[in-house]
Amino acid sequence: MRAKTTLAQRLPADMEKKIVEFHRFVLRAQRRHDYQLGHTSDMDETPMRFELPATRTLEFMGNRTVPILSCGGDKQSFTVVLAVKGNG
């Protein structure tokens, strides 16, 4: 048995231009307001599930049901946050 392992997305054609524009915007704001690098942060967050039950398993042929054990946390989630300051 095989199952999908990754899902790829295409990046926008103008992504590099948008990154450069945003970088210039941040530098202008930093100069205009005299921000220190330590006062500038970048943060991203993503939801994660407490449990990711398998979608496939091995089972004997002919069985009418195929149980997959779960602790019931497949609908509950938490948020993972990654943040970095401008000065490292």
Side-chain angles (χ1 to χ4, degrees):
M1 291 193 299
R2 294 184 61 96
K4 173 177 60 178
T5 58
T6 59
L7 178 63
Q9 295 179 340
R10 293 179 192 256
L11 297 174
D14 62 343
M15 184 183 81
E16 192 170 324
K17 178 184 170 195
K18 288 181 179 183
I19 291 172
V20 170
E21 287 175 3
F22 179 72
H23 190 239
R24 288 180 181 153
F25 166 78
V26 170
L27 290 175
R28 280 193 306 269
Q30 180 186 6
R31 285 188 208 112
R32 183 175 35 233
H33 300 288
D34 196 29
Y35 292 143
Q36 300 297 314
L37 282 177
H39 296 151
T40 304
S41 299
D42 187 19
M43 183 186 90
D44 195 13
E45 59 185 310
T46 187
M48 299 290 294
R49 298 275 183 201
F50 279 107
E51 182 180 16
L52 297 172
T55 57
R56 295 180 182 245
T57 187
L58 294 175
E59 186 60 61
F60 292 106
M61 290 181 63
N63 287 351
R64 300 188 89 168
T65 60
V66 179
I68 296 178
L69 295 177
S70 167
C71 70
D74 56 322
K75 301 288 188 223
Q76 298 174 341
S77 64
F78 59 96
T79 302
V80 175
V81 175
L82 175 66
V84 64
K85 293 180 98 175
N87 61 357

